[in-house]
Amino acid sequence: MQKKAFKNFIIPHVNRRFIIRLIAVVAGAYIFFGHICIPTWIRGASMVPTYPERGFTFCWTPAYWFSEPERGDIVIIRMAGKKVMLLKRVIALEGDTVSFQHGVLHVNGEAQAEPYVTHRSRDWNMQRRKVKSGHVYLIGDNRGMAMEEHTFGQTSKKRIKGMPLW
């Protein structure tokens, strides 16, 4: 009799179903928001105007579970640990050559139309580079920034975490 009274004293009006549902919701949220649809803060101007300097999006990790990134895709890549991720655009795939000539992107020797680039600096010049096997070439959309201020270049496809939901 005393055992039952003690049990009711600690958790009055709480039944097993509620606790099981609560545990299921917490576990589901942890799996969904920790591994499938990861909340991501945007800090930095490298993707302006496509994404604001400070913003929020979700990283949709299933995006590349069964497919490869394509030229023009915006991807989220893991840089250091689980917390530092970058938002960049895929401009070239493995085997492609990439160069910049007076601010114009050239892939495989052909100038690329980039409607998402609204500000272009003519100071962007880079010799032709070949993208290694298993890699993609990434860069931000804000080409009005100096090249030195951007983090860009080849990265392994294994570093691609997913794509932004919007």
Side-chain angles (χ1 to χ4, degrees), residues 91-135:
I91 60 166
L93 305 173
E94 59 187 323
D96 288 344
T97 58
V98 180
S99 66
F100 283 96
Q101 297 170 10
H102 305 292
V104 177
L105 169 66
H106 292 263
V107 177
N108 298 325
E110 295 182 24
Q112 301 295 301
E114 297 181 287
Y116 44 83
V117 176
T118 57
H119 298 91
R120 191 180 308 267
S121 172
R122 298 189 50 80
D123 295 339
W124 280 60
N125 290 300
M126 182 182 79
Q127 295 295 324
R128 197 175 221 178
R129 298 178 182 176
K130 186 170 183 163
V131 181
K132 296 187 274 188
S133 178
H135 288 68

Side-chain angles (χ1 to χ4, degrees), residues 45-51 70-74 88-92 100 103 105-107 111-120 137-144:
S46 71
M47 284 299 289
V48 170
T50 309
Y51 287 90
E70 297 178 13
R71 190 177 294 121
D73 285 358
I74 297 174
K88 299 291 177 185
R89 186 176 299 272
V90 176
I91 60 166
F100 283 96
L105 169 66
H106 292 263
V107 177
Q112 301 295 301
E114 297 181 287
Y116 44 83
V117 176
T118 57
H119 298 91
R120 191 180 308 267
Y137 206 91
L138 306 171
I139 196 161
D141 290 350
N142 187 355
R143 309 288 168 71

